[in-house]
Amino acid sequence: MGCVTNKEQDIKQFNIKLPDQYNHTTIQTEADLSDSQDQFLQIGMNICSLGDFLPKVQEVYDELGELFQNIQGQYLLMQDQSIYFGQVVDGKRQGVGKQHWPKEGNLLEGTWVDNQLTGRARMIYPNGDYFVGNFLNNIANGLGRFVNSKKQVSGFWLNNKLTGEGTEIRKNGTIYKGQFSEGKIQGHGQFEYANKCIYKGSVCKGKMHGKGELIFNDNTRYIGDFKANSIQGRGNYESDISITGWFHSKFENQTLYIYFFRTETPVLIDNQHCTLIEKQLEQFFD
């Protein structure tokens, strides 16, 4: 098999965003509204429910249960036509309550202070995704957890973005523990992959990138340079014997091909003389 180039495959990373504007894909917190009492229309008994939830929202709500038990209060029809039920003081949300956007489908449960979402809150999205965590003045700040159909991510949010140490558990079996920056896996961390391999080292945009160590499922290992989830650069491969030089890799047909060169080779070239190491892996590093 010749030495050929490896095409990078991007992996989108989680980044929770809570902008001021309203749409069906983001948490809606009315940060652009003033606190004036006349922004809201109290209609008392004219509204007696939050309305019907979308099927996926209802399913998640039933599974998780209520975030706050036995909420008491009154109904408010908000300026954006969402419906709030909960504690109200002087026409403002004050205390615990629920807010539902019947048109968009979002369901928000939270704690409000002077009409600002502050404290524990949970948003369930129309597609069944949900975020639960701490807020300060309508912005996610503090410990939180986001769950969707592909993964769950937990850690510390700073100004709406996961920052610092966190954990990402993917439905395909891959587990990441380490640093996040601006909502993305970035810095230093450890991947435990579904293919039974373990990576420890530098990560960038959710991938092995920089200096690191990859321990394979047969207990051999590579220590050295990585680029976008592939072995690329100078390193050391340790098996029954240890070899040091320049390496490249690619994944194809459930096989990881590792190419070893004794002199520096910036790229893989067809038919270039090299030593080939093969690793049988059911899944790639994702």
Side-chain angles (χ1 to χ4, degrees):
M1 188 172 195
C3 299
V4 295
T5 57
N6 180 36
K7 184 178 180 180
E8 298 177 7
Q9 299 179 350
D10 292 335
I11 300 176
K12 294 182 179 179
Q13 294 303 307
F14 169 69
N15 179 11
I16 186 168
K17 186 178 182 182
L18 291 77
D20 294 342
Q21 68 269 23
Y22 304 113
N23 59 62
H24 68 281
T25 61
T26 55
I27 292 181
Q28 304 171 0
T29 57
E30 297 189 326
D32 58 333
L33 297 182
S34 72
D35 291 337
S36 300
Q37 180 176 343
D38 59 7
Q39 292 281 349
F40 311 101
L41 174 63
Q42 291 186 222
I43 57 177
M45 296 304 294
N46 291 332
I47 291 182
C48 58
S49 76
L50 291 172
D52 295 331
F53 301 156
L54 292 177
K56 289 187 177 180
V57 173
Q58 185 69 60
E59 181 181 346
V60 173
Y61 182 74
D62 291 342
E63 178 184 348
L64 297 177
E66 293 183 331
L67 186 62
F68 303 104
Q69 300 294 320
N70 302 318
I71 294 176
Q72 301 294 320
Q74 64 186 95
Y75 290 94
L76 296 178
L77 178 63
M78 312 304 288
Q79 190 182 50
D80 63 352
Q81 300 304 302
S82 63
I83 302 170
Y84 170 84
F85 174 74
Q87 297 172 331
V88 176
V89 176
D90 295 331
K92 299 178 183 179
R93 293 164 295 179
Q94 183 79 22
V96 296
K98 302 177 183 179
Q99 192 165 346
H100 180 221
W101 285 258
K103 182 178 179 181
E104 294 83 357
N106 298 51
L107 174 62
L108 174 63
E109 303 164 84
T111 305
W112 281 265
V113 175
D114 196 25
N115 222 34
Q116 299 288 301
L117 190 64
T118 297
R120 193 75 170 160
R122 181 175 71 195
M123 173 70 88
I124 304 176
Y125 297 91
N127 61 1
D129 297 352
Y130 70 89
F131 174 80
V132 58
N134 291 295
F135 286 75
L136 178 63
N137 297 327
N138 290 336
I139 297 174
N141 276 287
L143 294 176
R145 179 166 60 101
F146 174 83
V147 179
N148 66 16
S149 61
K150 295 182 179 179
K151 59 189 173 182
Q152 62 174 309
V153 187
S154 58
F156 190 87
W157 266 256
L158 180 64
N159 295 328
N160 289 339
K161 295 182 179 179
L162 185 59
T163 302
E165 296 293 322
T167 301
E168 179 176 295
I169 302 174
R170 300 173 186 169
K171 291 294 179 69
N172 67 5
T174 296
I175 299 173
Y176 170 79
K177 296 179 181 180
Q179 295 176 331
F180 288 77
S181 178
E182 295 293 309
K184 295 182 175 132
I185 292 176
Q186 187 96 1
H188 190 277
Q190 174 176 305
F191 279 106
E192 297 178 16
Y193 292 105
N195 59 25
K196 308 303 181 185
C197 298
I198 298 174
Y199 172 81
K200 304 174 184 178
S202 178
V203 291
C204 181
K205 296 181 180 179
K207 300 179 181 180
M208 302 180 289
H209 191 92
K211 299 289 185 181
E213 174 184 6
L214 180 57
I215 305 170
F216 296 100
N217 53 10
D218 59 2
N219 290 323
T220 61
R221 69 186 63 205
Y222 167 82
I223 304 171
D225 296 328
F226 293 80
K227 184 176 181 180
N229 268 3
S230 66
I231 293 171
Q232 184 171 328
R234 183 172 177 81
N236 183 66
Y237 176 78
E238 297 180 357
S239 181
D240 295 333
I241 60 173
S242 178
I243 54 176
T244 300
W246 281 263
F247 295 82
H248 292 266
S249 72
K250 76 166 188 171
F251 183 77
E252 186 176 82
N253 298 325
Q254 295 185 319
T255 303
L256 180 69
Y257 298 97
I258 305 173
Y259 303 91
F260 166 68
F261 304 87
R262 296 194 179 278
T263 58
E264 184 174 4
T265 304
V267 296
L268 292 172
I269 302 173
D270 287 339
N271 301 320
Q272 184 174 356
H273 176 72
C274 60
T275 300
L276 176 63
I277 303 167
E278 297 184 21
K279 300 287 184 183
Q280 298 302 313
L281 301 174
E282 292 184 0
Q283 294 176 287
F284 189 58
F285 306 103
D286 56 19

